[in-house]
Amino acid sequence: MTPLPAPLRWLHSLEWRRGFFDWARSDGVTWVYIFKVLIAAFLTLWLAMRLELPQPRTAMITVFIVMQPQSGQVFAKSFYRFLGTLAGSAVMVLLIALFAQNTELFLGALAIWVGVCTAGATRNRNFRAYGFVLAGYTAAMVGLPALAHPDGAFMAAVWRVLEISLGILCATLVSAAILPQTSSAAMRNALYQRFGTFALFVTDGLRGRSQREGFESSNVRFIAEAVGLEGLRSVTVFEDPHMRRRNGRLSRLNSEFMGITTRFNALHQLLERLRSDAADHVVAAIKPGLQDLAELLDGFSGRALTSPDAARLVSQLTAYKESLPAKVRSLRAMFQESSPSDAEQLDFHTAYELLYRFVDDLHNYAQTHASLAEHSHEREHWDEPYTPKTNWLACAASGIRASFILLVLGSYWVATAWPSGATMTLIAAATVGLSAATPNPKRMAFQMACGTLIGALVGFVEMFFVFPWIDGFPLLCVMLAPVIVLGAFLSSRPQYAGVGLGLLIFFSTGSVPDNLTIYNPYTFINDYIAMIIGMLVCAAAGAIILPPNSPWLWRRLERDLREQVVYAISGKLKGLASGFESRTRDLLHQAYGLAAGQPLVQRNLLRWMFVVLEVGHAIIELRKEQAILPVHPAYAQSQPWRQAIRVMGRSLVRLFLQPSQSNLERALVAVDHAISRVQATDEPFAPHFDTSALRRVKSYLHFIRTSLLDPQSPLAAFKPSGVAHAS
């Protein structure tokens, strides 16, 4: 057989195909996105011009703002943009009706409205924040130009809603019809891959192979994935009825995943403390049960967990869980032959209590994952939603910053009567809103100013030296395409997203011709100077006025993290576990992003999260145990052990609100007293962890004590001298 020529052999090689598919999954997705942005923008511009809308550029700008790589994200962002536009237009009409004859009062009311909306954008998550952004700057974008002609304010609002609706319609149509990238597919892939990574993380931890840095970085990744999947879940309901029918199970799955990570973290931290304390015989006594679980999870480590795999995991975990109590009893009998101390026995019982709870939660997670294969399932009923937690001071700071910027720039406009002052003020309102939900609004506003400067230079050349010489819509598209491609490419790169956004939006604002184009270089230059000044003022305000990436906010978020222990102690028990998990992780995710570039701050915040999750979860388990105790004198509210637990709760509240050596000493004394009261109480059940409520209570109390004394914890700085690790 004649061998193929070298070029044909290369075309048939697996290496070429593998390289092509790798490119298609990375840069190929970006170029598909850019191609779709071009089609949607030009389709929108053509329709807006054919329909003779007053400002076709507004419709095209809508495409740039709502267009996302995945169609579900486009649907969600379009939905919230439409709602925000309606709200902003309605408020603008109201303000014009009230203050049309008094510019100062109008600007003051507008500044308050924009501040409230900016605070709302900071408070909310995902594309809901964008709805608040639109509600704020739509009122400014429509209201400030309408001040000169108040009688046309209502029609200006109507035209803007129509222009934005056209942009939304074209963007969603192109996104869904041309090479669609669905959010539901991305969510399935993320769900399938996440468990394999977690299973490998668990097996390494059970075998003592994980390093501290790797353990912390993996937890940061799991937190980011949990927050990201919650965002994906809220988006998929817009595009996929298949996922919409499973919305409750997807929410439950994310909550259960946060639960199993906390469970394993608690077990891992205890094992690491025992290993660091050289308690080798205790670790050796615990090891057989850990080894069985590690071998079970080896079959799922590092691979995707499909629904059939999840069903297989359920059956294996069921068998393991049923055999665990008998195995623990036999291991405890062997362990007691070595005459362990009370503290060592507590370590043994606590480790297996944590292991049993981890396996039980893992079993629940696998059941929920397996249920996704069915169209309807009883696990769909889930009323414990993800609960985000945002520091109110950070929200207030964003609102105050936005109001201050509008008041200053609006006052300057009124005082100087600069013709482009309205443009400066409304662009500042848009910039402060768009940058409010980012971790670094100063950087975002400055990048947008840089993108606007590029747009001004290119726009000046095109507006006055190119557009007068071209004829017809196709040539207009040819001249606009390079700028749109560059802007879309930059906006797809996180490090340059602000430059791309500024280029796309503000090149279109100042340089895309309207149906009636006016060539006025003086107005053009003045307007672009006003835009850049407005953005630079926003950047300066973001750096000076309560900047969100400064130590004051890190300290506030750290305090909020610590206060989650108070929430675990005093919160309503129904839905407390999932609410505690999501609030704590959401806070850490925010704080970690705001402290980017500050590894010591990030490490300290992460360690606070570990101790908060450990102590808070143990407290919630204690509360659950006490809530289901049978009626018996040993479990009465007046029993000394129950009173001691209440005293311990109050001491923990003081400790986490105001960490200090004296408060840590009081908390340790209270925990020790509670443990001794539980040990001194007799109960009418067998003393096994699956039958004895007091044994489980004692294990949780012991775990709280070991968490407070963890040498890796931030509380280690307050550890009293001479206090032993175990009780």
Side-chain angles (χ1 to χ4, degrees), residues 49 110 138 169 171 224 228 383 408 481 513 591-592 606 610 650 664:
M49 287 183 166
L110 181 64
T138 295
L169 180 64
D383 59 351
V408 169
Y592 214 80
L606 189 63
F610 284 136
R650 291 192 290 270
L664 179 58

Side-chain angles (χ1 to χ4, degrees), residues 83-366:
L83 292 183
T85 300
L86 286 179
S89 299
V91 169
M92 182 277 299
V93 171
L94 176 64
L95 294 181
I96 286 287
L98 293 175
F99 307 120
Q101 305 302 319
N102 194 316
T103 303
E104 291 79 6
L105 288 178
F106 177 86
L107 286 173
L110 181 64
I112 293 172
W113 171 249
V114 172
V116 169
C117 291
T118 304
T122 307
R123 171 67 180 84
N124 283 271
R125 293 288 181 275
N126 306 319
F127 295 124
R128 284 193 299 272
Y130 185 63
F132 280 92
V133 170
L134 258 294
Y137 82 68
T138 295
M141 296 284 281
V142 182
L144 290 174
L147 272 178
H149 303 284
D151 54 323
F154 178 76
M155 285 309 301
V158 171
W159 283 121
R160 183 169 181 85
V161 170
L162 291 175
E163 290 157 357
I164 285 175
S165 300
L166 177 63
I168 287 172
L169 180 64
C170 292
T172 53
L173 179 64
V174 170
S175 179
I178 301 177
L179 299 174
Q181 300 285 325
T182 63
S183 301
S184 55
M187 184 162 192
R188 288 191 194 94
N189 183 61
L191 283 175
Y192 292 165
Q193 298 296 332
R194 179 172 68 170
F195 185 80
T197 304
F198 178 72
L200 183 61
F201 172 72
V202 170
T203 55
D204 285 345
L206 292 176
R207 293 183 171 119
R209 296 196 301 235
S210 61
Q211 301 297 318
R212 184 75 190 181
E213 292 76 12
F215 176 78
E216 292 180 352
S217 63
S218 294
N219 270 282
V220 172
R221 182 177 60 193
F222 293 144
I223 291 168
E225 287 176 352
V227 175
L229 275 172
E230 178 59 24
L232 270 178
R233 184 193 64 79
S234 66
V235 164
T236 55
V237 298
F238 286 92
E239 70 168 8
D240 190 345
H242 177 87
M243 301 299 278
R244 190 156 52 243
R245 289 183 66 95
R246 291 158 175 77
N247 189 47
R249 278 171 281 173
L250 292 172
S251 177
R252 180 177 193 147
L253 199 65
N254 208 26
S255 179
E256 289 174 341
F257 182 78
M258 290 187 288
I260 60 176
T261 55
T262 297
R263 290 286 192 193
F264 179 71
N265 286 344
L267 175 62
H268 179 270
Q269 298 289 76
L270 178 63
L271 294 175
E272 288 300 302
R273 289 167 201 149
L274 293 175
R275 290 170 182 140
S276 64
D277 288 348
D280 295 335
H281 61 295
V282 179
V283 175
I286 298 168
K287 187 176 180 179
L290 306 180
Q291 186 65 29
D292 290 346
L293 180 59
E295 291 173 357
L296 186 156
L297 292 175
D298 280 337
F300 304 90
S301 299
R303 51 173 293 186
L305 184 74
T306 62
S307 296
D309 290 332
R312 183 164 55 88
L313 178 61
V314 169
S315 63
Q316 293 183 18
L317 286 173
T318 300
Y320 176 84
K321 193 168 75 165
E322 290 174 351
S323 65
L324 187 58
K327 187 176 186 66
V328 172
R329 288 173 193 143
S330 64
L331 289 173
R332 187 177 67 229
M334 295 170 57
F335 180 57
Q336 287 179 336
E337 291 176 2
S338 62
S339 302
S341 65
D342 289 343
E344 290 169 339
Q345 290 188 63
L346 269 176
D347 285 329
F348 179 90
H349 293 147
T350 302
Y352 269 110
E353 175 63 25
L354 292 173
L355 178 65
Y356 185 83
R357 295 297 182 186
F358 171 63
V359 172
D360 187 50
D361 285 353
L362 194 60
H363 183 254
N364 289 332
Y365 176 87

Side-chain angles (χ1 to χ4, degrees), residues 622 640-655 662-678 701-702 704-705 708 727:
L622 279 172
W641 69 270
R642 298 199 69 169
Q643 296 179 19
I645 287 177
R646 289 193 287 272
V647 171
M648 179 197 72
R650 291 192 290 270
S651 67
L652 289 174
V653 167
R654 284 195 297 270
L655 172 63
S662 60
N663 283 340
L664 179 58
E665 288 177 354
R666 291 191 188 97
L668 289 171
V669 168
V671 175
D672 287 339
H673 181 65
I675 292 173
S676 66
R677 292 300 89 206
V678 173
L701 291 171
H702 178 64
I704 291 173
R705 188 180 195 279
L708 297 180
S727 55

Side-chain angles (χ1 to χ4, degrees), residues 480-633:
L480 294 178
V483 183
I484 295 175
V485 168
L486 176 61
F489 179 79
L490 291 174
S491 65
S492 68
R493 296 293 185 263
Q495 64 270 35
Y496 303 116
V499 178
L501 193 63
L503 176 59
L504 286 173
I505 295 176
F506 299 108
F507 169 79
S508 302
T509 299
S511 305
V512 173
D514 287 327
N515 274 321
L516 178 61
T517 303
I518 300 174
Y519 294 96
N520 186 336
Y522 301 104
T523 301
F524 181 94
I525 293 171
N526 268 280
D527 283 349
Y528 267 112
I529 290 174
M531 292 182 199
I532 294 172
I533 289 175
M535 293 175 192
L536 292 177
V537 169
C538 290
I544 298 171
I545 305 173
L546 301 175
N549 58 339
S550 57
W552 72 270
L553 186 54
W554 302 337
R555 288 192 291 270
R556 291 294 308 186
L557 288 172
E558 179 191 300
R559 179 180 173 85
D560 286 349
L561 269 176
R562 300 198 309 266
E563 286 178 351
Q564 295 311 297
V565 174
V566 181
Y567 174 65
I569 293 171
S570 59
K572 187 178 178 182
L573 195 56
K574 178 177 171 52
L576 180 61
S578 60
F580 170 77
E581 291 280 357
S582 56
R583 285 160 59 110
T584 305
R585 281 173 165 75
D586 194 68
L587 280 168
L588 192 277
H589 183 66
Q590 293 174 65
Y592 214 80
L594 292 170
Q598 301 285 336
L600 293 178
V601 174
Q602 290 179 325
R603 189 177 183 85
N604 187 58
L605 289 167
L606 189 63
R607 291 186 172 182
W608 270 118
M609 186 206 71
F610 284 136
V611 70
V612 164
L613 283 177
E614 290 173 16
V615 174
H617 221 280
I619 289 168
I620 292 171
E621 292 299 331
L622 279 172
R623 293 184 60 187
K624 286 181 177 179
E625 287 289 348
Q626 293 178 80
I628 60 172
L629 287 172
V631 178
H632 189 275

